[in-house]
Amino acid sequence: MSIVEQVEAARSGREPALICQVSSGWVVLCRMQYLRGYCILLPDPVVPSLNDLSQQQRASYLCDMSLVGDALLEVTGAYRINYAILGNSDPVLHSHIVPRYIDEPEVLRLNGPWSYPQETKDSQLFNYERDCELMCLLREAISRRTKLGSTSV
């Protein structure tokens, strides 16, 4: 499914991997869950790149990215978060927010999350029944952070 199609599905409530809406778009679990909690931030409206957003929109999008990272740190016990904005295969803005775990094999942990073999990436695909609890915990953690941020402005 393309990013445009995922945003349309999120808007209509048909995206099964939807975690929540944030000020700049939608947070969804990535279809590949080989690193538990791997999320994608989808902008709304969809734009070609970060450079197509106003300064205020950029700040909101990047803040939302880090807010998702904070929630992932809390909920998954990850030791760090990798952030990536690529847009090469689907040339519209979207961000990969990937928790990294200390117990990953060192040769993989010290490289980007895409260094895993394809069979590993394909071995743990999104499963609503398995991932529903994680999605709820992330939604709650993001919601708490959003409310905290709005009261401190």
Side-chain angles (χ1 to χ4, degrees):
M1 184 181 314
S2 73
I3 299 302
V4 171
E5 291 169 329
Q6 272 192 292
V7 169
E8 289 172 2
R11 285 179 186 155
S12 67
R14 294 179 291 110
E15 172 55 65
L18 177 65
I19 295 170
C20 64
Q21 184 175 18
V22 291
S23 65
S24 66
W26 305 92
V27 181
V28 297
L29 274 185
C30 183
R31 298 288 183 236
M32 297 177 296
Q33 284 296 299
Y34 64 102
L35 291 166
R36 185 151 172 75
Y38 180 168
C39 291
I40 306 284
L41 176 58
L42 308 170
D44 196 354
V46 176
V47 294
S49 76
L50 188 64
N51 305 93
D52 293 296
L53 298 175
S54 70
Q55 188 172 7
Q56 182 177 357
Q57 290 170 315
R58 290 177 192 190
S60 176
Y61 187 82
L62 294 171
C63 183
D64 285 342
M65 244 176 73
S66 65
L67 195 143
V68 173
D70 290 339
L72 282 165
L73 286 168
E74 174 190 328
V75 169
T76 66
Y79 85 101
R80 73 177 303 110
I81 304 296
N82 288 170
Y83 300 91
I85 299 175
L86 304 169
N88 297 327
S89 59
D90 195 349
V92 295
L93 177 61
H94 62 285
S95 299
H96 300 260
I97 309 164
V98 188
R100 301 307 300 267
Y101 300 96
I102 202 71
D103 62 351
E104 292 176 58
E106 185 175 20
V107 68
L108 297 170
R109 181 174 36 87
L110 297 178
N111 288 295
W114 299 281
S115 63
Y116 274 80
Q118 191 62 47
E119 61 270 11
T120 301
K121 292 188 275 187
D122 292 338
S123 69
Q124 285 280 25
L125 299 179
F126 171 77
N127 176 297
Y128 183 81
E129 287 183 20
R130 181 196 67 219
D131 298 327
C132 181
E133 182 179 359
L134 174 63
M135 292 165 55
C136 288
L137 292 171
L138 287 168
R139 182 180 310 114
E140 291 167 5
I142 291 168
S143 177
R144 275 194 311 278
R145 283 167 173 73
T146 303
K147 289 175 186 167
L148 288 173
S150 65
T151 59
S152 62
V153 175

